[in-house]
Amino acid sequence: MPSSTRRQAAHIRAAYTRETPSLAAPGIARHAPNIPSPANALGLDVCTPAQRQLRALLALGMFNHGPTSLWPRHVSLADITRYTLVISPRYDDLVITAQAPYNVACWLVGRDRLPDIGLPGLRVESSHAEGWRLRHLPTGATMTVTGDRDGRLQGPPAQDSNYARLWTSDVPLHAEEHDALSALPHLSTDTQTLLAALTVRLCTHAPDGSWDIGMWFYDLTDRPDRGHAHHRRLSINDNQCTLHWDSDPHPEDLHTALTDPVIGLTGAIGHPTRDGWLLHYGRACLTAHPVTYTPQLA
């Protein structure tokens, strides 16, 4: 892909994702330059299989919250969405820039002094000033959390930067982490791609302000909010995904983020249902119910 085209693509992507153009540029799909789809060329969904698996697990963590969560109580990834952050997907990395990177890292990675284990298997590979390189042991995929708005890790690795004493990559998988991962349903490639698409669109919005995902915690378009409970449940049964939520984002905003011709998931087709909408991607489908989830009584 010519450098001038890549710069233009980076500016287009940044207009939707809240990245800076410098942050967006490394994520432009240099590994798939001949893919005709504009959305694929922007690189949000073009990644390694390991990255796809990691992003799908993050979706299961971030979109399960409250008493009906699919995850155990000590996995509290949904609280990441309370912070002001930007997600920048790259072919072989997932970069999170945040105003409070320490807080975000503490929700992602477990540590001995708290019962929360973060994303099971996620570890600190190296610590830097206001930044961490993370490695997910089961998949081998990497993440970066940093306070630098362009996604950089400042300075050389420093042992004293891991002042939260987060678990490092030499700490093997704990039994409770193994149990949490083993309890999850099998995810096909199409299902992983669909869930990963939810993760990387956490902060997307329309450049003209007509829709906004708002990090799944705030509506930033001056419309009436949808409540403050922030209960979510994302469940999987074979290739069938079902998502319930009772607050932001507005249901039409999420649908648009996944199907928009510029920023949407290429190949995703959606249509309305009686109480939400249904989205197909390959053999996977996502049924969205933007209402309060009520568990079935035994």
Side-chain angles (χ1 to χ4, degrees):
M1 182 183 290
S3 59
S4 59
T5 304
R6 289 179 55 78
R7 285 195 297 271
Q8 181 183 19
H11 281 274
I12 293 172
R13 170 168 151 165
Y16 282 88
T17 60
R18 290 193 168 85
E19 298 168 283
T20 65
S22 296
L23 178 61
I28 300 301
R30 65 177 62 188
H31 293 267
N34 297 318
I35 295 177
S37 164
N40 271 351
L42 297 183
L44 293 187
D45 305 298
V46 180
C47 64
T48 64
Q51 272 295 315
R52 185 183 64 235
Q53 294 173 48
L54 173 62
R55 296 171 192 183
L57 290 174
L58 286 169
L60 287 172
M62 291 191 296
F63 305 127
N64 274 291
H65 186 57
T68 62
S69 172
L70 181 70
W71 286 91
R73 285 193 173 184
H74 48 283
V75 178
S76 304
L77 297 184
D79 287 294
I80 295 170
T81 65
R82 296 175 181 266
Y83 298 97
T84 300
L85 51 82
V86 171
I87 291 184
S88 180
R90 301 179 181 180
Y91 183 71
D92 56 359
D93 196 11
L94 186 67
V95 178
I96 297 179
T97 68
Q99 292 184 4
Y102 166 80
N103 299 44
V104 172
C106 286
W107 285 113
L108 284 169
V109 183
R111 46 184 168 160
D112 289 328
R113 65 178 182 174
L114 290 176
D116 299 292
I117 62 175
L119 180 69
L122 194 60
R123 299 289 189 269
V124 171
E125 188 168 76
S126 61
S127 299
H128 304 255
E130 290 298 303
W132 294 263
R133 177 82 70 195
L134 310 179
R135 175 80 62 178
H136 188 239
L137 299 183
T139 63
T142 63
M143 290 183 65
T144 299
V145 178
T146 177
D148 183 86
R149 64 194 302 265
D150 292 327
R152 296 166 297 195
L153 290 172
Q154 302 289 352
Q159 185 62 38
D160 58 359
S161 294
N162 187 15
Y163 39 83
R165 298 298 182 263
L166 303 176
W167 288 335
T168 53
S169 52
D170 59 337
V171 177
L173 206 66
H174 288 249
E176 58 184 344
E177 293 179 292
H178 180 272
D179 292 343
L181 291 171
S182 298
L184 294 176
H186 170 73
L187 303 178
S188 69
T189 297
D190 286 347
T191 299
Q192 288 178 11
T193 301
L194 190 53
L195 297 183
L198 287 171
T199 295
V200 301
R201 287 164 178 80
L202 186 76
C203 310
T204 52
H205 71 141
D208 64 2
S210 58
W211 60 267
D212 198 317
I213 301 303
M215 293 165 288
W216 276 80
F217 214 84
Y218 305 100
D219 179 60
L220 304 176
T221 60
D222 295 325
R223 291 172 295 179
D225 61 49
R226 301 189 63 246
H228 300 282
H230 301 290
H231 293 157
R232 310 166 192 164
R233 179 174 172 85
L234 175 60
S235 58
I236 314 292
N237 183 8
D238 196 16
N239 282 316
Q240 310 295 313
C241 310
T242 304
L243 177 61
H244 295 82
W245 77 100
D246 60 3
S247 53
D248 296 312
H250 285 257
E252 63 273 16
D253 292 9
L254 183 59
H255 181 271
T256 301
L258 290 166
T259 59
D260 182 87
V262 176
I263 205 71
L265 173 62
T266 301
I269 301 172
H271 59 82
T273 62
R274 180 176 57 84
D275 58 352
W277 45 264
L278 180 66
L279 189 79
H280 289 275
Y281 176 79
R283 295 186 177 182
C285 69
L286 172 65
T287 302
H289 296 293
V291 293
T292 302
Y293 175 76
T294 302
Q296 298 294 321
L297 297 178

